[in-house]
Amino acid sequence: MSDQKNILIIVTNHKQIDADHPTGLWLEEFAIPFQLFRQHTYTVTVASPLGGMAPIDPRSLSTSEPAEAHGDALQALQYTEPLNSINVDDYDAVFFPGGHGTMYDLPIPEVGRVVSQFFDAQKVVAAVCHGPAAFVQATQSDGTPIVKGRKVTGFTNEEEEEVKLAQLMPFLLESRLQELGAKFEKASMWSDYVVVDGKLITGQNPQSSASVAKAVIEALA
């Protein structure tokens, strides 16, 4: 039996919070898992709600790692598949990187349906930082939120206040997941922290990017 796995990564198309705050994908949350998946010879497909180029949050380009280190990952963001072209049956796992852009275009019914299909098929569903915004519209067949009663993490209210964007967000991720019935767990701010509940895998923040990817690889082994 082949060890070949197909991973779907879904990223944001949203590039502006307001006139003063450009946003998009947080690069390391995409690039580090992308590279780890590729090192395991997984086939990686990158999609977004609209398809086309995925915007990168400019603040994520000023981290210690030079953007050139993410060459293949940057190339993959030049053209993403539109979500409506994706067949869930073709993939073993779905992964949602964060970035504040995700707070605008991942909590939509189209994304929720994809998450629900992976969840119903008992496939790996993973997200990091703001990526769990993708779960907001995802329900089980009886209409129950997929996160209800499940352990998850994500970018915390405290971290959102720390980066001074809490007032600008359409909602606070930690609060919304709790409202949906999730058992939200967290470590101290900026800790590398991952929560695994069955095949639902979540990481708290950018610092958790590699650990989330490794947990996905372990779940697929």
Side-chain angles (χ1 to χ4, degrees):
M1 194 168 124
S2 170
D3 287 335
Q4 180 59 52
K5 303 290 183 190
N6 295 312
I7 310 284
L8 177 64
I9 302 181
I10 299 178
V11 299
T12 182
N13 293 117
H14 194 87
K15 62 182 182 182
Q16 206 73 29
I17 296 173
D18 62 14
D20 301 318
H21 295 88
T23 189
L25 168 76
W26 197 263
L27 182 59
E28 72 183 287
E29 296 171 20
F30 170 78
I32 292 171
F34 177 87
Q35 290 163 335
L36 285 168
F37 296 151
R38 292 275 294 268
Q39 284 166 19
H40 274 74
T41 67
Y42 295 167
T43 299
V44 180
T45 299
V46 185
S48 61
L50 302 176
M53 185 181 283
I56 298 169
D57 189 315
R59 293 172 307 145
S60 72
L61 294 169
S62 60
T63 54
S64 56
E65 185 112 43
E68 300 74 51
H70 302 308
D72 287 354
L74 287 169
Q75 192 65 36
L77 295 170
Q78 295 302 302
Y79 178 78
T80 65
E81 300 288 341
L83 196 57
N84 63 12
S85 72
I86 295 298
N87 181 352
V88 168
D89 295 340
D90 295 339
Y91 301 95
D92 300 289
V94 64
F95 172 64
F96 296 92
H100 283 87
T102 62
M103 295 289 284
Y104 296 86
D105 65 350
L106 293 194
I108 60 173
E110 294 81 357
V111 172
R113 274 196 293 275
V114 170
V115 176
S116 300
Q117 288 171 339
F118 273 91
F119 191 82
D120 289 345
Q122 299 185 318
K123 295 179 176 183
V124 172
V125 175
V128 67
C129 200
H130 289 92
F135 304 162
V136 167
Q137 296 263 6
T139 59
Q140 298 177 58
S141 51
D142 63 359
T144 306
I146 68 155
V147 296
K148 187 172 184 182
R150 291 189 168 268
K151 293 184 290 185
V152 299
T153 191
F155 205 61
T156 66
N157 292 354
E158 192 181 19
E159 287 167 326
E160 203 69 85
E161 293 285 353
E162 180 79 4
V163 299
K164 299 185 167 40
L165 290 173
Q167 309 309 318
L168 296 176
M169 288 296 100
F171 57 89
L172 291 174
L173 184 59
E174 175 184 342
S175 297
R176 179 61 59 86
L177 292 171
Q178 288 172 328
E179 287 162 13
L180 293 169
K183 297 175 180 172
F184 192 93
E185 300 185 351
K186 57 187 172 182
S188 55
M189 286 198 295
W190 319 120
S191 298
D192 177 354
Y193 187 65
V194 173
V195 171
V196 179
D197 188 330
K199 293 194 173 177
L200 186 63
I201 299 168
T202 46
Q204 182 171 316
N205 47 34
Q207 289 77 5
S208 312
S209 301
S211 297
V212 169
K214 289 169 186 171
V216 170
I217 291 162
E218 197 171 311
L220 289 171

